[in-house]
Amino acid sequence: MMTDQQIIQQPVSILDGIGVQSVNRLQKLNIVSVLDLLFHLPIRYEDRTRVTPIANLNIGQSALICGTIEHSEVLMRGKRSLICQLRDGNGSQLSLRFFHFSAAQQSQLQAGVLLSCFGAIRQGYAGLEIIHPEYKILRNEEDIVTESSLTPIYPLTDGLRQSTIQKSVKQALTLCLEKIPEYLPASIRSRFQFPDIQQTLLTLHAPPTEFSSADLQQSIAVKRLAFEEFIAHHLKMLLGKQRHKQWQAPVFPVNENLKQDFINTLPFQLTAAQQRVIAEIASDCAEPHPMLRLVQGDVGSGKTIVAAITALAALSANYQTAIMAPTELLAEQHFRNFSQWFEPFDINLVFLSGQQKGKTRQAILEAIADGSAAIIIGTHALFQESVHFAKLGLIIIDEQHRFGVHQRLALREKSIDAKPHQLVMTATPIPRTLAMLQYSDLDISIIDELPPGRKPITTCAISNERRQQVVNRINHWVQSKKQAYWVCTLIEESEALQCEAAEKTAELLKAALPEVNVALVHGRMKAAEKDQIMQAFKSHQYDLLVATTVIEVGVDVPNAGLMIIENPERLGLSQLHQLRGRVGRGELESYCLLLYQAPLSNTAAHRLGIMRDTQDGFLIAEKDLQLRGPGEIMGTRQTGQIGFKIADLEQHADLLEQVEIAAQQILQEQPESAELIISRWLGGVHQYAEV
Ligand code: ADP
Ligand code: MG
């Protein structure tokens, strides 16, 4: 006897009509078992449950129709086509149009023939028509076949037929619907009036006739599955955290003297918020279990020094620190800052980027592997397979929002014996509901204070028609020994186009501003070249830096207090805020000019208004969430990474609020379900144990 679990886990090949080829095609849709097939949901439905009178048809609808051909002919006008005029019992007319037809079809579809047909209704030249309907010739009206429930239409892959999948699902329902276990506690189901899992899947695969395609996403059945899926993601993070906290981690003993000496060399005093967060981190790292902490702090709040002081703790315990930044530019900047800060310690800092090749790269990899490199700074190149750390004790990830969740998790696996402590930093405040899906494996610290003396940035929106004035303003600005940025943006994230636009703009500005030293950086330059230009800009060999959004994160040049952003209407608020964060870093009065393309839509005007009115990153993030919704905010980079099967962040946003509570309830009431839910939605248990 097979257990229920064995029955539902049987391969799809046991179903009639599923041969080797279909197995392969289904696998492309991630369908391996019969159970997988039942979790492959229709995208819409067709109604073949009843015959619709022609008089009742609506354009756009797909319908089953029954009628007699009154007249048929081949038209040569335009594209050659066969047209059949169909009239039903109520006397209304409809045309069937075939662009591809055989001689046999043509002789079959003659006046007097009774047909049932199905297809999408559209507006033709002379009344309603269906192009290439499915049809069946009937002997009499009783001959017509109607379905007892709506016909589900499934997502397909090349070569897989709709009818194959439809038939297989029907068999799968008979075979194993009853055996699918319920994982949501009854209390949760009744609170939300969710149907049980069997009813849910039955409704979706064989919906009652009153169901419509439009109801699908909003149906309680889909909601129930989406909710379960959200819960699975949240639970995965929670259990991952629990497990992670049980691992051994190196202890970094608190060394107050060393820390104080280090802080005394800084040209500024730490803010109270920085000190608080540093203390939170220190107490995590003094435990023999890995720290998993997210530091949130607005642009310019001084996260880098917090990272450095954490690295100092690892250093004094003789462990390596890996620092990962999302762009080469930022990684290089960190490398320079850290080199300066750690100069008195006579340690080996290395920089690792994807662009280093050959001997240079080999030497760096060796230093990392033999432990002679104490602090390793780089881009995502850090978690490539060829990188082996001798004694990794701390991982710091800067500007986490630019990385996917999985990249973050991958780096954690790099350590051999003990799991390293992990510090994640971001300037983008994450709305709580989203944080729950992505960061509930982390503890959170917030730097809610900017260093003293920062002047507010004056932001104004200026139409492109006044571009010349803006250019003149740069001239004045640099005459008083100050520097400026000009940021070129494009809507498509095509790097090539963006770089081209920046090159062109730089040429134009050079011509328009002969007195001004103009430099250019963009993403397609070699690391060394970018680095050299940034260095030169920082040391004021250039007055104006024309750049793409590569400078979005982290770049720090206090003497640059004027920023022009082209086409700001095309960027999200959070991204604008990040860009603007490049100015207002020193003692200067700073300005950000949003050079938009007129005319502005109302929403765009509203958004630029928000930028003008506030500089509070948290407020901006909230507005961004309201205006764009969670899907856009997280961007495809993030949502794609999460890879929901059924849930949709937009459609099911209202469910997010309840996910945390429900997950806690499951952990308390039936903890054994937690892992089952995770493996139902996110694959085998072994996969998440590694997290
Ligand atoms: P972010 O949080 O955006 O990463 P950074 O770490 O780059 O910010 O810091 C921004 C600037 O503020 C840097 O020039 C840094 O040296 C400086 N800074 C950091 N902490 C303080 C402080 N407590 N007082 C004054 N300046 C500070
Ligand atoms: Mg930073």
Side-chain angles (χ1 to χ4, degrees):
M1 270 295 280
M2 276 196 275
T3 62
D4 285 1
Q5 198 56 29
Q6 284 165 338
I7 292 175
I8 62 181
Q9 289 302 346
Q10 291 176 97
V12 282
S13 57
I14 62 143
L15 301 172
D16 291 342
I18 300 294
V20 181
Q21 267 193 338
S22 299
V23 167
N24 291 337
R25 287 169 182 154
L26 286 168
Q27 193 159 18
K28 286 202 189 122
L29 296 167
N30 288 323
I31 299 170
V32 177
S33 68
V34 182
L35 182 71
D36 296 337
L37 189 61
L38 290 183
F39 275 84
H40 187 63
L41 298 188
I43 27 172
R44 61 188 174 86
Y45 301 95
E46 289 176 351
D47 187 354
R48 296 160 198 262
T49 62
R50 63 205 154 94
V51 175
T52 307
I54 293 174
N56 295 357
L57 291 175
N58 295 314
I59 290 168
Q61 156 190 32
S62 290
L64 182 65
I65 296 145
C66 180
T68 308
I69 299 182
E70 271 202 335
H71 174 74
S72 86
E73 64 179 322
V74 175
L75 284 185
M76 303 302 282
R77 215 179 323 121
K79 216 169 153 197
R80 181 172 172 267
S81 59
L82 169 65
I83 306 266
C84 307
Q85 292 292 342
L86 205 69
R87 191 185 288 276
D88 71 2
N90 302 335
S92 313
Q93 270 197 335
L94 169 83
S95 313
L96 309 182
R97 186 187 292 269
F98 299 84
F99 293 109
H100 309 283
F101 54 94
S102 61
Q105 267 178 313
Q106 190 184 340
S107 61
Q108 231 179 13
L109 296 171
Q110 288 299 334
V113 171
L114 181 68
L115 284 184
S116 72
C117 57
F118 185 88
I121 311 299
R122 41 164 280 158
Q123 182 66 53
Y125 301 114
L128 299 181
E129 66 174 23
I130 305 180
I131 293 177
H132 288 179
E134 294 166 31
Y135 67 89
K136 216 187 219 157
I137 296 179
L138 307 175
R139 272 165 302 171
N140 52 50
E141 302 233 347
E142 277 72 65
D143 230 13
I144 196 162
V145 181
T146 53
E147 303 278 339
S148 57
S149 59
L150 296 178
T151 311
I153 303 297
Y154 295 96
L156 295 176
T157 181
D158 264 356
L160 190 68
R161 295 167 67 104
Q162 193 55 251
S163 58
T164 308
I165 232 176
Q166 286 166 342
K167 282 181 201 145
S168 313
V169 170
K170 271 192 188 157
Q171 283 182 66
L173 283 172
T174 323
L175 190 74
C176 77
L177 182 65
E178 303 282 286
K179 316 287 184 207
I180 298 178
E182 177 63 70
Y183 295 146
L184 284 187
S187 56
I188 292 181
R189 276 183 284 130
S190 76
R191 174 149 29 104
F192 294 95
Q193 297 179 328
F194 286 148
D196 65 29
I197 187 70
Q198 286 146 18
Q199 188 55 49
T200 299
L201 292 174
L202 189 64
T203 307
L204 293 171
H205 290 296
T209 47
E210 64 274 13
F211 210 77
S212 80
S213 290
D215 297 336
L216 181 64
Q217 276 299 321
Q218 284 309 318
S219 76
I220 196 79
V222 168
K223 274 194 178 163
R224 183 224 130 101
L225 293 179
F227 194 57
E228 200 179 305
E229 186 170 26
F230 282 148
I231 290 176
H233 282 267
H234 184 53
L235 283 173
K236 175 177 159 168
M237 291 256 143
L238 289 183
L239 295 195
K241 178 177 178 178
Q242 273 179 16
R243 252 161 242 251
H244 206 80
K245 290 270 167 188
Q246 285 160 12
W247 269 314
Q248 288 296 305
V251 174
F252 302 161
V254 183
N255 187 338
E256 263 318 315
N257 288 340
L258 182 71
K259 188 158 113 187
Q260 216 41 60
D261 288 348
F262 185 85
I263 291 172
N264 289 341
T265 65
L266 298 175
F268 48 74
Q269 294 228 307
L270 295 175
T271 62
Q274 283 170 320
Q275 291 179 31
R276 173 172 42 76
V277 171
I278 288 168
E280 284 164 1
I281 294 170
S283 85
D284 284 353
C285 294
E287 297 285 326
H289 303 293
M291 160 174 75
L292 289 170
R293 189 169 285 278
L294 175 71
V295 172
Q296 255 180 51
D298 209 345
V299 276
S301 62
K303 294 182 290 293
T304 322
I305 193 67
V306 171
I309 291 170
T310 311
L312 181 69
L315 190 69
S316 68
N318 266 319
Y319 277 92
Q320 287 174 305
T321 297
I323 301 169
M324 179 164 81
T327 63
E328 301 251 338
L329 263 181
L330 188 52
E332 285 151 20
Q333 181 180 286
H334 284 339
F335 182 70
R336 275 191 305 274
N337 281 333
F338 275 67
S339 301
Q340 213 171 36
W341 288 327
F342 285 92
E343 210 194 282
F345 293 84
D346 190 30
I347 55 152
N348 189 12
L349 273 102
V350 300
F351 178 69
L352 184 73
S353 95
Q355 308 203 14
Q356 292 156 331
K357 297 269 143 43
K359 283 214 176 103
T360 326
R361 182 177 170 80
Q362 205 45 48
I364 295 169
L365 290 180
E366 270 163 30
I368 299 173
D370 69 19
S372 59
I375 296 180
I376 301 101
I377 299 178
T379 56
H380 55 280
L382 285 182
F383 57 78
Q384 283 164 357
E385 267 172 38
S386 52
V387 186
H388 302 285
F389 293 88
K391 214 179 162 196
L392 184 60
L394 171 66
I395 292 171
I396 298 174
I397 299 178
D398 195 16
E399 306 293 354
Q400 150 68 29
H401 63 286
R402 296 313 265 344
F403 292 106
V405 184
H406 298 298
Q407 283 170 309
R408 166 161 74 82
L409 302 179
L411 195 55
R412 244 192 236 169
E413 301 307 309
K414 281 281 175 191
S415 171
I416 306 162
D417 36 3
K419 294 284 163 191
H421 295 290
Q422 193 175 329
L423 184 68
V424 173
M425 308 196 291
T426 183
T428 309
I430 303 120
R432 203 186 54 81
T433 47
L434 300 183
M436 174 194 67
L437 294 174
Q438 287 202 289
Y439 301 112
S440 41
D441 58 336
L442 303 173
D443 298 309
I444 296 183
S445 291
I446 299 180
I447 307 183
D448 49 4
E449 182 185 354
L450 291 179
R454 294 276 163 84
K455 298 228 173 62
I457 304 165
T458 310
T459 301
C460 21
I462 298 177
S463 157
N464 197 29
E465 286 153 12
R466 290 166 55 202
R467 198 183 177 92
Q468 190 53 47
Q469 277 169 287
V470 172
V471 173
N472 294 343
R473 183 143 172 203
I474 296 177
N475 218 0
H476 282 290
W477 180 263
V478 304
Q479 272 167 16
S480 54
K481 303 263 174 296
K482 293 177 290 194
Q483 293 163 277
Y485 296 100
W486 185 292
V487 186
C488 304
T489 69
L490 281 181
I491 187 161
E492 291 300 331
E493 267 199 38
S494 151
E495 219 185 358
L497 285 178
Q498 222 183 48
C499 300
E500 216 173 275
E503 273 164 8
K504 223 176 269 167
T505 308
E507 285 314 311
L508 289 174
L509 288 170
K510 270 182 202 164
L513 298 163
E515 317 266 277
V516 173
N517 275 324
V518 181
L520 169 70
V521 291
H522 59 61
R524 294 178 115 203
M525 290 175 162
K526 289 249 160 58
E529 197 181 350
K530 271 188 290 191
D531 185 34
Q532 185 233 321
I533 291 168
M534 284 313 295
Q535 271 309 88
F537 183 62
K538 200 162 184 166
S539 62
H540 204 162
Q541 293 168 45
Y542 294 109
D543 307 305
L544 176 65
L545 183 67
V546 178
T548 57
T549 48
V550 291
I551 61 155
E552 174 185 336
V553 285
V555 170
D556 188 40
V557 182
N559 190 45
L562 171 65
M563 172 176 277
I564 292 100
I565 305 179
E566 276 197 274
N567 306 320
E569 69 276 16
R570 294 169 170 180
L571 299 184
L573 289 181
S574 297
Q575 199 181 2
L576 282 173
H577 180 64
Q578 289 286 322
L579 277 170
R580 181 173 61 181
R582 300 310 109 223
V583 297
R585 303 199 138 228
E587 308 280 277
L588 289 183
E589 283 296 340
S590 300
Y591 300 88
C592 177
L593 311 184
L594 304 171
L595 192 57
Y596 65 85
Q597 204 70 47
L600 272 187
S601 71
N602 281 344
T603 359
H606 178 55
R607 289 172 31 178
L608 297 190
I610 293 170
M611 289 307 293
R612 197 183 49 222
D613 297 343
T614 180
Q615 228 175 296
D616 175 340
F618 282 82
L619 190 68
I620 288 175
E622 255 170 50
K623 296 274 184 196
D624 212 12
L625 182 67
Q626 282 166 17
L627 289 169
R628 291 196 299 162
E632 287 250 346
I633 297 277
M634 292 171 87
T636 43
R637 192 186 283 117
Q638 301 280 328
T639 42
Q641 291 264 359
I642 294 191
F644 292 117
K645 289 181 184 152
I646 287 167
D648 178 310
L649 280 173
E650 305 289 338
Q651 302 269 11
H652 303 121
D654 56 324
L655 294 173
L656 284 170
E657 284 291 327
Q658 301 291 329
V659 170
E660 230 172 331
I661 304 166
Q664 289 301 339
Q665 198 176 336
I666 290 170
L667 287 177
Q668 270 161 26
E669 290 175 17
Q670 44 184 72
E672 67 288 353
S673 298
E675 305 203 352
L676 295 169
I677 294 180
I678 295 170
S679 75
R680 170 178 287 174
W681 293 96
L682 291 149
V685 173
H686 59 283
Q687 282 175 352
Y688 83 93
E690 293 303 313
V691 164

